[in-house]
Amino acid sequence: MSKSVQVHAPATVANLVCGFDVLGMALHRPDDVMTLTLKEEPGITIEHTDIYQLPTEPEKNVAGAALLAMLEELDHPPGFHLVTDKRIKPGSGLGSSAASSAGAVVAANELLGKPFSNEDLVRFAMNGEKVASGVKHADNIAPAIYGGITLIRSIFPLDIVQLSGPPLFVTVVHPQIEVRTADARQILRKEVQLKSAIKQWGNIAGLVAGLLKQDYALIGRSLEDVIIEPVRSILIPGFDDVKSQSREAGALGGGISGSGPSIFMLSEKESTANAVEQLMQDVYTKLGIDFKTYVTSISYEGVRVSPVTVHQP
Ligand SMILES: Nc1ncnc2c1ncn2[C@@H]1O[C@H](COP(=O)(O)OP(=O)(O)OP(=O)(O)O)[C@@H](O)[C@H]1O
Ligand SMILES: N[C@@H](CCO)C(=O)O
């Protein structure tokens, strides 16, 4: 019998509006379910039980790329067989690629007796993000691995700060269109005006302070992005309506989740989060665009591991 573990890898919201590439949070749902089995013989094999037709070559699948980076640091690298039931649609803006990379390395670390720290795991998993979007960034990976809300102060060298915050409800709408992170990064301007930068760093600092002080009003005031959102929101039909109507309904604020097309809104009360879900549904029904919505909250656990027994043929 081979040794296996099952993990639930969470969706994540990167950027948290003003914190492009530096802030992110993990959600309770949706999540991917992955089963990793240790093999005696070297090599990585990948299987998907979902509908997304993702590549199964380890170098092209983000989970495979993350595992390959980990194996490079082992003296006697074993092999792995990975089975993924992907429930976070790729290109959703909900950290689909990060869930696969983070889930794979957390599972592998567990099977190997935990030789690596969480920071090591983030470092390995960022190789998956490089495959998905062409760049290493950790604002989905870090919250997926650590849980909760994380600040990535630096990626070279890695400096990850876990943030606490007050209870928050998160409403997400995922219009069923695909925005590839690589494309959504390509359209960004490479230079920023000083006056925009000043506004943005005021908001990032305000958001972090608001979370730590559990000050809902400060959190709400700071959920403003004057640099990325004006460019990317054009790719998302219904964005302006969802945002303005959610604020009117009492949400603290929100914006594009990761690189989109999903939109998230934060609320202090569950009843407000439910009202926001209803208005999101109304906006996309009117537009005739298929969508999924979730009312959820922040997962402070990150990737969840549970032992399983898998009988190999
Ligand atoms: N195991 C995998 N899971 C998800 N995407 C994968 C996987 N392997 C390769 N990919 C590729 O990665 C890309 C999806 O990643 P992308 O970063 O664009 O979306 P996302 O993770 O949903 O978005 P975001 O990072 O903004 O939250 C697709 O091109 C997909 O084919
Ligand atoms: N910070 C990244 C997250 C994408 O997953 C971006 O917005 O491009």
Side-chain angles (χ1 to χ4, degrees), residues 163-210:
L163 302 174
S164 56
L168 285 164
F169 292 93
V170 188
T171 317
V172 176
V173 62
H174 174 197
Q176 301 287 292
I177 50 177
E178 184 179 352
V179 173
R180 292 181 61 246
T181 302
D183 299 336
R185 292 183 83 90
Q186 198 70 46
I187 59 171
L188 298 176
R189 292 191 202 101
K190 302 288 172 282
E191 273 152 25
V192 172
Q193 292 237 332
L194 184 59
K195 68 173 191 229
S196 306
I198 292 167
K199 250 192 160 205
Q200 196 86 351
W201 58 56
N203 282 326
I204 298 171
L207 180 56
V208 171

Side-chain angles (χ1 to χ4, degrees), residues 14-15 20-22 95 129 137 139-140 181 185 188 232 258-259:
N15 302 336
F20 180 70
D21 276 2
V22 301
E129 294 295 59
H137 60 92
D139 50 342
N140 294 103
T181 302
R185 292 183 83 90
L188 298 176
R232 282 186 173 170
S259 60

Side-chain angles (χ1 to χ4, degrees), residues 50-174:
D50 49 66
I51 57 169
Y52 298 116
Q53 301 191 319
L54 291 164
T56 52
E57 302 93 314
E59 304 76 20
K60 293 188 187 159
N61 189 298
V62 301
L67 289 173
L68 286 169
M70 175 188 265
L71 291 180
E72 266 179 30
E73 295 195 14
L74 289 171
D75 292 335
H76 304 287
F80 291 112
H81 179 64
L82 176 65
V83 181
T84 301
D85 177 16
K86 179 155 283 297
R87 305 190 301 196
I88 312 166
K89 193 171 180 288
S92 59
L94 291 171
S96 176
S97 49
S100 286
S101 312
V105 294
V106 170
N109 199 37
E110 187 75 23
L111 285 173
L112 297 172
K114 295 201 177 166
F116 296 111
S117 67
N118 275 349
E119 199 178 283
D120 291 329
L121 299 184
V122 171
R123 196 162 43 80
F124 301 140
M126 280 200 302
N127 289 278
E129 294 295 59
K130 178 104 200 277
V131 169
S133 65
V135 210
K136 287 186 179 180
H137 60 92
D139 50 342
N140 294 103
I141 298 282
I145 289 177
Y146 285 76
I149 305 173
T150 54
L151 164 69
I152 323 301
R153 199 203 57 81
S154 152
I155 53 167
F156 300 119
L158 261 179
D159 187 357
I160 297 163
V161 183
Q162 286 186 275
L163 302 174
S164 56
L168 285 164
F169 292 93
V170 188
T171 317
V172 176
V173 62
H174 174 197

Side-chain angles (χ1 to χ4, degrees), residues 10-30 88 92-96 98-99 137-144 148-152 170-173 207 223 253-260 262-266 294 296-299:
T12 44
V13 173
N15 302 336
L16 296 185
V17 184
C18 50
F20 180 70
D21 276 2
V22 301
L23 288 172
M25 71 180 170
L27 301 179
H28 275 116
R29 66 193 189 106
I88 312 166
S92 59
L94 291 171
S96 176
H137 60 92
D139 50 342
N140 294 103
I141 298 282
I149 305 173
T150 54
L151 164 69
I152 323 301
V170 188
T171 317
V172 176
V173 62
L207 180 56
L223 288 169
I256 303 172
S257 175
S259 60
S262 292
I263 307 169
F264 80 104
M265 288 289 153
L266 298 180
Y294 306 89
T296 184
S297 53
I298 301 170
S299 162

